[in-house]
Amino acid sequence: MAGLSFAAIDVETANSARGSICAVGVTVVENGEWTASRSWLCRPPAGVDFFNWHNIRVHGITAARVADEPVFADRWPEVARLVGDLPVVAHNAGFDSGAIREACGRSGIEAPEWAFSCSLALSRRHLELDSYRLPNVAAALGIDFTDHHDAGADAAAAAGIVVALAARAGVDSLADLERMVAGPAGRARRPARAAGSIQRAVPGDSGPSRTVRAAGAPDRGETWTRRGEAPMSRTGHQPGGSERRSDTTQRRSWFGREELVIPEVTGTDPTHPLYGDIVVFTGDLAALTRQQAWDAIAAHGATPARNVTKRTTRLVIGDGFRGADPTAFTTTKALRVAELRARGQRIEVMDERMFIACLAANPGSPARVEASPGHVDLV
């Protein structure tokens, strides 16, 4: 695979502050061959140099374990030298890139201007899985991966995922892999409009008048249409056609207040905190309609979804709710998120204030949104 060159990176944090990096792992791939793999421990930057019990439970790193390690600012030059000028890959790149920027900012050192790609987003585009967490994707691709949340092992797994996806797609560069959209069973269908952009691959797609069923939607005859298209009946006829539709065959609104249209996911910046997420909303937002919220997240590379499923990564709660505890909000979606989190699925819960701050985040600087103890775990 001549030309497939990149560095995969993973960071682990000491607490809910993104910049509290306590471990870094890097695997380098050059021309399709693994040429280096390293991992380091470090003390987090001052101000966020404490260890939360939840994070310790996840990765096993404690304050005592890093007590004799260099502080992040002194460790970082080794990491940067190994990565060099290569494009960088991470599984859930928005988290790792944001953590690195914030740690550098807190340490008073210049953050690297790396071009990030996201193996999580690539996996969602090329594979059909129940879960896209790092262990699940690695297992689906036959990658040996046993030490999850070890920074070195996670970086190596992310590298293996990209190499495997490129081999399946028959491409020999990261840019080509990002341009492709996969159809059923991961078969490459056609290039996207621009590098890193995402288009939905629809089985049976035969032209511009196609419909797309929302992820997780029950098969009750309703269909989702592309923006600008008229809703279709169960028989597939659009208004104005020769066959008159009865009221029982007309498409109904899912939400009873507006006809929602799935937007095309156009965001291509993997450093945005929403990039690659599957986002579900419950309750009304004060600042945006549901359609406006869907359009806004799609512009940042996230996919809106109707129902909470095993693919959901974020739940946004409206109706004036404050906090990040889904059990404190009584809707079916919130309760479903609570159930899935109790089973080990990591879903980030945000109120409207946190969501608006996340939308406004400048990809060039970390979003000022603190994660809850049950922060999303996609890596």
Side-chain angles (χ1 to χ4, degrees):
M1 255 182 279
L4 183 63
S5 299
F6 62 90
I9 195 166
D10 178 81
V11 303
E12 300 295 330
T13 55
N15 52 69
S16 62
R18 273 196 178 185
S20 62
I21 293 176
C22 58
V24 184
V26 173
T27 291
V28 176
V29 175
E30 295 179 284
N31 295 319
E33 300 290 335
W34 293 33
T35 59
S37 188
R38 290 282 310 278
S39 63
W40 303 264
L41 293 174
C42 64
R43 285 180 285 126
V48 290
D49 51 349
F50 60 93
F51 282 76
N52 181 279
W53 69 267
H54 171 80
N55 297 67
I56 295 173
R57 185 178 63 179
V58 168
H59 52 55
I61 303 171
T62 63
R65 187 174 169 188
V66 301
D68 296 328
E69 300 290 343
V71 72
F72 173 83
D74 294 333
R75 182 66 87 186
W76 185 247
E78 297 179 60
V79 180
R81 279 195 297 270
L82 183 58
V83 173
D85 295 326
L86 291 169
V88 179
V89 168
H91 204 75
N92 191 20
F95 173 80
D96 295 272
S97 61
I100 290 168
R101 285 194 305 270
E102 185 164 325
C104 287
R106 288 182 176 275
S107 301
I109 60 178
E110 185 176 357
E113 296 182 0
W114 288 339
F116 270 89
S117 295
C118 184
S119 58
L120 170 64
L122 289 170
S123 300
R124 283 181 176 147
R125 201 180 308 175
H126 287 265
L127 301 173
E128 291 290 336
L129 304 176
D130 289 334
S131 170
Y132 293 86
R133 295 179 65 244
L134 192 59
N136 299 76
V137 179
L141 294 172
I143 297 168
D144 185 18
F145 179 48
T146 57
D147 199 4
H148 188 30
H149 288 300
D150 174 88
D154 285 5
I161 287 169
V162 172
V163 171
L165 290 176
R168 285 165 58 98
V171 298
D172 60 2
S173 77
L174 186 58
D176 287 343
L177 183 62
E178 288 186 317
R179 292 188 186 102
M180 300 186 72
V181 177
R187 293 191 298 272
R189 289 177 60 101
R190 62 186 176 211
R193 293 180 180 176
S197 67
I198 301 173
Q199 293 177 309
R200 287 187 189 279
V202 185
D205 176 15
S206 59
S209 297
R210 63 188 182 277
T211 62
V212 183
R213 185 168 303 283
D219 187 7
R220 298 182 297 184
E222 300 95 341
T223 55
W224 299 95
T225 63
R226 293 286 181 181
R227 184 175 298 282
E229 295 177 1
M232 300 181 72
S233 71
R234 291 174 182 160
T235 58
H237 290 81
Q238 289 181 314
S242 59
E243 180 174 328
R244 182 179 178 182
R245 298 179 301 159
S246 69
D247 289 341
T248 59
T249 63
Q250 289 181 346
R251 179 182 172 221
R252 295 166 293 179
S253 170
W254 283 101
F255 298 96
R257 53 181 178 266
E258 62 176 332
E259 194 73 21
L260 290 173
V261 181
I262 293 183
E264 182 178 354
V265 179
T266 57
T268 60
D269 184 355
T271 66
H272 193 277
L274 291 174
Y275 182 84
D277 276 349
I278 306 294
V279 183
V280 175
F281 293 84
T282 185
D284 290 323
L285 300 179
L288 301 168
T289 66
R290 183 67 58 83
Q291 185 67 64
Q292 288 172 332
W294 277 22
D295 293 344
I297 65 172
H300 289 302
T303 301
R306 169 67 175 88
N307 295 325
V308 175
T309 70
K310 291 181 179 179
R311 298 184 63 195
T312 303
T313 61
R314 286 185 193 256
L315 176 71
V316 179
I317 301 179
D319 288 346
F321 176 81
R322 283 296 184 95
D325 181 6
T327 63
F329 192 75
T330 54
T331 64
T332 301
K333 294 177 186 176
L335 293 175
R336 177 61 174 158
V337 165
E339 291 173 1
L340 290 174
R341 287 172 67 163
R343 297 176 190 171
Q345 182 172 338
R346 304 299 182 185
I347 302 175
E348 184 168 358
V349 177
M350 311 173 75
D351 58 26
E352 182 173 0
R353 174 186 57 84
M354 298 171 68
F355 172 65
I356 296 300
C358 198
L359 276 183
N362 181 351
S365 61
R368 299 297 179 183
V369 181
E370 291 296 323
S372 66
H375 68 282
V376 62
D377 177 10
L378 295 170
V379 295

